[in-house]
Amino acid sequence: MLQDPSFQLVMIGVLSITCQLIATKVRLPAILPLLLIGILVGPVTGILDSDALFGDLLFPFVSLAVAIILFEGALTLNFKELGAHGKVVTSLCTIGVFISWIVVAPAAHYILDLSWQMAFLFSAIVTVTGPTVIMPLLRSVRPSHNISQVLRWEGIIIDPIGAILAVLVFEFILASQNAFLFTLFTFGKTVVAGSVVGVLCGFILGWVLKRHLVPEYLVNTLVFSTVLGAFQLSNIVAHESGLITVTIMGIWLANSKNVDVEGILEFKETLSVLLISGLFIILAARVDLSQVADLATGAGIILAIMFLVARPLAVMIATQGTDIHWKEKVLINWIAPRGIVAAAVSALFALKLQQQGYENAELIVSLVFFIIISTVLLQSISAKPIAAWLGVQAPTAKGFLLFGANEFARALAKELTKSEVKVLVADTNWESISIARMDGINTYYGNPSSEHAQRTMDLTGIGQVLIVSPYRYANSLVTHHFQHELGNNKVTGLSYGENSGMQAHQPNQKYRQSLGLFSGHTYSELASLMREGAEIKSTKLTEEYSFKDYQNTNAGKYIPLIVRTDKNKIIPVRDESELDDLQIKSIVSLILPL
């Protein structure tokens, strides 16, 4: 029964979701449990034989999966964001990639006796980090704002850049079987064909999406099908040019105006569980453990060179002339785990090179998997203690994420900002977000519980979440997400009222316990008060004018929202009676209209 194809396919699916759940529970990158489980069911126990299960379909399956991964990674490469986040990120993703490439390649050649071609390919593959491995580490370590911003945006931007470098090196290797001039011609043909088809398909797809020529429910299916179609078309035009095509397509769409890239990225969340998660179990099951053991000493030396030579050089050059402290540079240098793109691309290229008769091509996979597991494990264990030792962890997070950018939320955000409390406002309504941005409020446009938000939303300094939106379904999703991320007592939402019909839906007890924000007032009540002229104001309290005095003076004229205590705790108000035993130093209230 264990060798039955149906059983093995179901097993891969079940193990994929199990690994995702484990990763979220222990706050580790999902790639680590996926790879470890793949090794367990593959070379350790022999339950899964990927080559026997998929046969001739293994190579096409890996090829298409890698195409999707590269396309999704390229969708995050917006040139405005590349320039907006300064010299450090730009340098790390360009000069830094080049330094890592030229430093690691000779080391791999001389230490592991790889051919120059294989050494430069391996070096190109391991230049990428990626948000799927960086973001869980940042949430666990809680580094300072400078470190968080640099590492977060490096992880997002470096994926497609490193992937393009790896693809170009791979294409040059394939072309180099022939005479030099023919090699250049073949390489040039591959790059030009991939770029032209990528731009053309990206333009057509963007044009269709901008004009809403297909129903909304078919958009993601259209994008998915177009990416795979463009990949195959490009390979027909020029052999092995499809990876360049899908990368160029993603970059084109990411930098096109009025294209809902966020919606496409959200679709990838389901796809990653169903397809990409399974891919890594399948690939890990093919790893030769004896080969990894034989390479361990040399690969360990390569790893040391990456982190003691290549990475420090890149960080030193990228941060030269900036105000980033040397202690922050040390942590930036240390946190650079390798992730999904490296694993997928290495497996694909090894398969293709083996088909072309290249000796020792399979070593690339073993090396890359060793680097991935080592970097993720080592940095997951050590990054937090190192950050604490260096004193570069962010202070206790006291800021607020407000889900909802309506008039009440914007007024509250502005008042909290005046009181020097960090605030981030998120909403799926573009008009509300636009108004908030014009008011100078930090914003995130989209669902804050989405995978895109996890990659790109800066939560440095954010310790609590206030759900103040009218979107009941989204409210519950955001609440559950951040209850897991921050803790049950860190997420509070507005009530829905007795006649709202919520009871008919029977929300679970955990969610119901999070409601009752601002003395149980509903969104409709607060919105109505704002329309009638209510204002949000903050008041400092002293020994001469205490909280009791404030209550007596404003009895029936205010709704308490946020208080700051003498221990500098910032507390959202649920029930005013809970404040009686606290030493209140300031209060933010909704002052009711006369």
Side-chain angles (χ1 to χ4, degrees):
M1 185 189 74
L2 293 179
Q3 302 306 315
D4 180 70
S6 298
F7 172 81
Q8 293 200 342
L9 290 173
V10 171
M11 179 188 68
I12 291 171
V14 172
L15 291 176
S16 297
I17 189 63
T18 302
C19 290
Q20 293 283 348
L21 291 173
I22 291 172
T24 58
K25 206 71 176 175
V26 300
R27 299 178 184 274
L28 282 176
I31 190 174
L32 185 59
L34 286 168
L35 294 182
L36 294 178
I37 287 294
I39 291 172
L40 180 63
V41 299
V44 174
T45 63
I47 295 173
L48 176 62
D49 184 340
S50 301
D51 294 275
L53 176 62
F54 290 94
D56 293 338
L57 291 177
L58 178 63
F59 177 75
F61 172 71
V62 175
S63 296
L64 296 177
V66 171
I68 294 167
I69 292 171
L70 293 186
F71 172 74
E72 185 272 334
L75 277 177
T76 62
L77 181 52
N78 189 302
F79 292 130
K80 292 180 180 178
E81 292 170 345
L82 179 62
H85 290 274
K87 171 182 176 293
V88 177
V89 174
T90 306
S91 297
L92 281 175
C93 295
T94 51
I95 299 173
V97 168
F98 180 74
I99 289 173
S100 178
W101 183 46
I102 63 172
V103 168
V104 174
H109 172 69
Y110 290 111
I111 294 172
L112 297 171
D113 199 28
L114 292 179
S115 68
W116 280 110
Q117 294 170 318
M118 293 298 110
F120 273 104
L121 178 60
F122 164 73
S123 180
I125 291 171
V126 295
T127 58
V128 298
T129 57
T132 55
V133 284
I134 284 291
M135 295 310 293
L137 279 178
L138 294 183
R139 286 195 291 270
S140 173
V141 176
R142 293 193 307 105
S144 65
H145 179 74
N146 282 343
I147 298 172
S148 178
Q149 285 289 80
V150 169
L151 291 176
R152 185 167 63 92
W153 283 104
E154 180 197 14
I156 292 170
I157 294 168
I158 204 171
D159 253 4
I161 291 177
I164 290 173
L165 174 62
V167 170
L168 292 178
V169 174
F170 171 73
E171 301 298 352
F172 190 83
I173 290 174
L174 289 187
S176 63
Q177 300 176 85
N178 307 292
F180 181 71
L181 288 179
F182 189 75
T183 294
L184 290 181
F185 171 77
T186 304
F187 177 68
K189 177 184 176 183
T190 300
V191 174
V192 171
S195 301
V196 170
V197 176
V199 169
L200 181 62
C201 292
F203 172 79
I204 294 172
L205 182 58
W207 185 82
V208 170
L209 295 177
K210 286 179 190 178
R211 285 158 180 76
H212 305 285
L213 299 181
V214 296
E216 190 66 27
Y217 72 94
L218 288 177
V219 166
N220 287 319
T221 304
L222 171 70
V223 172
F224 179 66
S225 302
T226 304
V227 169
L228 297 183
F231 172 75
Q232 193 58 44
L233 173 63
S234 185
N235 282 337
I236 293 173
V237 175
H239 187 58
E240 304 298 353
S241 63
L243 295 179
I244 297 176
T245 291
V246 295
T247 305
I248 296 295
M249 276 185 69
I251 295 173
W252 182 277
L253 291 175
N255 292 275
S256 299
K257 293 182 179 179
N258 303 319
V259 175
D260 182 18
V261 174
E262 285 77 10
I264 300 171
L265 283 169
E266 286 183 7
F267 171 67
K268 183 257 175 190
E269 295 178 36
T270 302
L271 191 64
S272 66
V273 175
L274 296 176
L275 176 62
I276 297 174
S277 297
L279 171 68
F280 292 111
I281 292 177
I282 294 166
L283 295 180
R286 301 181 73 252
V287 171
D288 186 340
L289 291 183
S290 61
Q291 190 177 75
V292 174
D294 292 340
L295 294 169
T297 301
I301 297 172
I302 298 295
L303 186 65
I305 291 172
M306 289 170 61
F307 282 96
L308 299 179
V309 181
R311 182 69 173 176
L313 276 174
V315 172
M316 181 180 68
I317 293 173
T319 57
Q320 189 173 12
T322 68
D323 60 355
I324 296 179
H325 194 271
W326 71 267
K327 292 182 178 180
E328 294 177 316
K329 294 179 184 179
V330 171
L331 194 61
I332 291 172
N333 172 72
W334 184 245
I335 300 180
R338 272 47 181 179
I340 283 175
V341 171
V345 170
S346 66
L348 175 62
F349 289 171
L351 283 168
K352 290 188 176 183
L353 291 172
Q354 284 177 298
Q355 289 180 346
Q356 296 292 325
Y358 280 84
E359 294 184 4
N360 297 326
E362 72 279 0
L363 292 179
I364 296 293
V365 176
S366 297
L367 281 171
V368 171
F369 276 47
F370 178 90
I371 296 296
I372 290 171
I373 294 174
S374 299
T375 54
V376 173
L377 269 178
L378 181 62
Q379 293 170 24
S380 296
I381 294 170
S382 63
K384 192 170 184 177
I386 290 175
W389 176 68
L390 291 170
V392 292
Q393 283 185 301
T396 303
K398 298 176 181 177
F400 290 94
L401 168 65
L402 273 59
F403 178 49
N406 47 72
E407 183 183 5
F408 170 80
R410 295 194 300 269
L412 178 58
K414 285 192 287 186
E415 198 60 38
L416 289 173
T417 302
K418 288 180 186 176
S419 302
E420 299 182 347
V421 177
K422 180 168 183 179
V423 180
L424 176 65
V425 172
D427 204 311
T428 55
N429 184 301
W430 173 247
E431 183 179 354
S432 297
I433 285 293
S434 298
I435 297 173
R437 289 180 179 176
M438 289 188 287
D439 288 340
I441 300 170
N442 291 328
T443 63
Y444 172 76
Y445 172 54
N447 184 339
S449 63
S450 67
E451 184 175 336
H452 179 260
Q454 292 179 56
R455 286 195 310 269
T456 61
M457 189 168 63
D458 182 15
L459 292 177
T460 306
I462 300 296
Q464 300 187 67
V465 179
L466 304 182
I467 310 295
V468 289
S469 90
Y471 318 127
R472 294 181 183 176
Y473 176 70
N475 287 349
S476 64
L477 295 179
V478 174
T479 297
H480 289 307
H481 173 78
F482 284 102
Q483 281 177 332
H484 169 75
E485 291 289 321
L486 303 176
N488 293 348
N489 62 333
K490 299 295 184 180
V491 185
T492 321
L494 296 175
S495 297
Y496 290 98
E498 295 180 1
N499 299 320
S500 65
M502 277 296 291
Q503 292 300 322
H505 296 284
Q506 289 297 310
N508 65 49
Q509 183 179 4
K510 186 178 177 181
Y511 178 58
R512 291 200 303 272
Q513 289 175 344
S514 72
L515 305 179
L517 184 62
F518 306 147
S519 303
H521 287 276
T522 67
Y523 169 80
S524 298
E525 291 169 346
L526 294 174
S528 178
L529 289 171
M530 294 297 294
R531 287 193 296 269
E532 293 171 7
E535 297 180 311
I536 295 179
K537 294 183 178 180
S538 57
T539 305
K540 290 185 178 180
L541 303 175
T542 63
E543 292 183 3
E544 292 76 23
Y545 187 68
S546 66
F547 180 52
K548 290 292 185 184
D549 296 326
Y550 182 84
Q551 288 176 306
N552 294 333
T553 303
N554 297 283
K557 301 176 185 177
Y558 78 108
I559 298 173
L561 305 176
I562 310 283
V563 298
R564 187 194 294 264
T565 70
D566 58 336
K567 296 181 179 179
N568 205 28
K569 289 185 177 180
I570 304 173
I571 303 171
V573 179
R574 289 170 60 103
D575 186 341
E576 191 171 357
S577 64
E578 298 173 348
L579 307 178
D580 291 341
D581 297 329
L582 299 177
Q583 295 295 318
I584 310 297
K585 290 299 182 182
S586 66
I587 182 169
V588 178
S589 302
L590 181 66
I591 306 301
L592 304 180
L594 299 176

